[in-house]
Amino acid sequence: MQASRSSLASLTLAALGVVYGDIGTSVLYAMKEIFGAGHLELNPENIFGVLSLLIWTLTVIVSLKYVILVLRADNRGEGGLVAMLALASESVGDRPGLKRFLFLIGIFGTCLFYGDGVITPAISVLSAVEGLELISPALTQAVVPSTLIILLALFALQRRGTAGIGRFFGPITLLWFLSIATLGVFQIASRPEILLAISPHYALLFIFNNPGLSFVLLGAVVLCVTGGEALYADMGHFGPKPIRLAWFSLVMPALLLNYMGQGAILLSDPSTVKNPFFSLAPPWLLLPLVVLATLATVIASQALISGAFSVTKQVIQLGYLPRMQVIHTSEQDTGQIYIPFVNWGLFFAIVLAVGLFKSSSNLAAAYGIAVTLDMLITTILTFFVIRFAWHYPWALCITATSIFFVIDLLFFASNLLKFLEGGWFPLAIGAVVYLLMRTWHDGRSLLNEALRDQSIGLGLFLDTVHISPPARVEGVAVFLTSQIGIVPNAFLHNLKHNKVLHRYNLFVTVRNHEVPWIDEQARLEIRALGNEAWEVLVNYGFKNDPNLPLALEAMQAQGVPMDPMSTSYFLSRDIIIPTIGSAMSQWREKLFAQMHLNSSAAADFLKLPMGSVVELGSKVEI
């Protein structure tokens, strides 16, 4: 029992650093942006109304929707939009049209994650470093360069992994939440009446008196829940219990106390509206608070960058992105990975965002559209999960999700008003990523179709070969093929040019499934073809770490000596030739051909020993 409590405590502390960094740093800019635009008069009625809106937005969106409802929708213990997409599509497998629709919106929601991954580090670190302006106005010019230097250092460290510095994330984030709660309490003590803002009637009264203005302000109010998606996305790392415990015991109380503290200081001194968060601290504490805030925003950014690596790996295995170089940064934790292309692609986009917008207030206009659209997509997918996977009654499913759907839709519609002010930026990033994903997926379908048209049946071909077999040589030959039952091009070329047949021949197809994990017992499906040849289907989930030599060790039970020194892996390297008149426009065909050319080698992705790989090229027209 004691060990179990200790484990729960350590998981809860770790969850603080990974899960709550983003939403925990929203106190830096949410209240400032609501009042900073100048749309709202700074008087007690409006302060109480806005504060009540913030409190109940956190309660309804985070506590009720994510922590209580969405965290229940785990896909074999995994969370996140990709896991929910797989769960929802699996539950409607007998409705192909609906399944295509769910994949359409689910993949687009995943693309928006990259837009969020650009804006979050930029706005978080900028808002923290902007505290320097309160120390001395002369430091204003140093804000943007300092932000870029901090971000460059963060992205440069990614290659080393987070194992070394990760153990500090939880304690630093714990200190952050205790600090922001303490700052809030000191201001609440001077204006205790601010605690009345907990009553929802202030929010309802504000909306009733200012319906149009309330709708506009929702675009800034939603800043207080940015990072809510991380609760669900990181469930696979920690489980729902530590995430719920951390939220209700520390994170939510600390956020509410800090927001009420900001409300109290605005009541006492309206001039603090320029930066109410840093105004909570006395002058002697300002510099340490800026340093702590910067550390907290770096941790929030780190969690999102790590999430981008994980999501990319999952999407690759779902077949929506080409293989990329994936570097494992930890021998113990296979989930700790580094993808250089994603790392520096994100950094380039973040530098562009900081250069274009130059301040957290300008970036706040860009923030929100991607987040609220992701929230809306999560609600839609949740409906299909609870209806078709859990088989709850229609009335209950509609009631449970329609309230959240309407709220998410209102937040999204409000953020659309900021489209020209910067909201286009994360949407543009999401649209570009979506174009790449769809092009790769559609291109792979065309390539497989072309290979099928040119293919020869494997069983009949082997029977023909063995009528007058070539010379047999010792060893094991593994021929990789994208489709079961056809002759791999690499096998044809090997017979044509080398004129030999190995003693043992494995025709291997690697298939990735729309589930997070596939157990070792279900890894291989084997069919004997006779004459020491087997057809092998290797199954992986989108969270599994592919390792083909390790998986094929199970073939020893079939009498195949999987000796690394006498096993050769034959791969076909297809060169794509775009043609006119196919189902995909020619410019997309050319884009697919370029993506295919630049994709990481299958040998690297499947962890094949480099000294045992033979690649044979062939041209394929699509």
Side-chain angles (χ1 to χ4, degrees), residues 12-278:
T12 303
L13 181 62
L16 276 178
V18 176
V19 177
Y20 291 110
D22 190 1
I23 199 169
T25 54
S26 61
V27 293
L28 289 165
Y29 46 80
M31 187 75 88
K32 178 178 73 170
E33 296 311 320
I34 293 171
F35 287 102
H39 300 302
L40 192 61
E41 184 182 349
L42 199 60
N43 58 42
E45 292 78 15
N46 289 340
I47 292 172
F48 274 85
V50 164
L51 188 55
S52 186
L53 264 178
L54 284 171
I55 291 168
W56 285 98
T57 298
L58 280 167
T59 301
V60 173
I61 297 294
V62 183
S63 297
L64 297 182
K65 177 184 171 180
Y66 282 101
V67 177
I68 293 177
L69 175 62
V70 175
L71 280 184
R72 296 185 61 216
D74 69 289
N75 190 339
R76 296 166 177 84
E78 291 297 321
L81 204 54
V82 174
M84 180 174 276
L85 168 61
L87 186 61
S89 64
E90 185 182 10
S91 68
V92 297
D94 57 340
R95 300 172 176 84
L98 184 55
K99 187 172 182 176
R100 281 194 297 271
F101 166 72
L102 293 179
F103 254 94
L104 181 73
I105 63 169
I107 290 297
F108 186 66
T110 303
C111 296
L112 291 173
F113 176 83
Y114 293 95
D116 188 20
V118 170
I119 301 295
T120 294
I123 191 173
S124 298
V125 178
L126 257 178
S127 59
V129 178
E130 281 171 351
L132 293 172
E133 297 174 341
L134 298 183
I135 297 173
S136 171
L139 295 174
T140 301
Q141 297 299 318
V143 169
V144 170
S146 299
T147 299
L148 292 177
I149 290 170
I150 291 167
L151 289 169
L152 176 60
L154 175 64
F155 279 88
L157 285 171
Q158 294 305 309
R159 188 179 183 89
R160 299 179 180 272
T162 58
I165 58 174
R167 61 179 178 270
F168 299 111
F169 284 5
I172 291 173
T173 312
L174 174 62
L175 177 61
W176 169 254
F177 282 116
L178 292 174
S179 299
I180 65 174
T182 304
L183 289 172
V185 167
F186 274 111
Q187 295 300 328
I188 292 169
S190 63
R191 300 296 295 262
E193 67 269 24
I194 201 68
L195 292 171
L196 296 173
I198 291 176
S199 171
H201 97 273
Y202 286 103
L204 295 173
L205 190 64
F206 179 79
I207 293 170
F208 181 78
N209 291 332
N210 310 278
L213 184 58
S214 297
F215 176 72
V216 172
L217 289 177
L218 286 179
V221 171
V222 78
L223 294 173
C224 74
V225 295
T226 55
E229 284 284 336
L231 298 172
Y232 181 48
D234 290 304
M235 181 170 60
H237 295 291
F238 306 103
K241 191 171 183 180
I243 292 174
R244 289 189 177 114
L245 181 61
W247 173 254
F248 287 115
S249 65
L250 176 64
V251 178
M252 186 179 182
L255 292 175
L256 296 185
L257 287 171
N258 191 268
Y259 282 125
M260 286 190 283
Q262 292 186 47
I265 201 170
L266 288 174
L267 283 176
S268 301
D269 184 3
S271 68
T272 57
V273 71
K274 183 181 178 183
N275 202 322
F277 174 79
F278 283 109

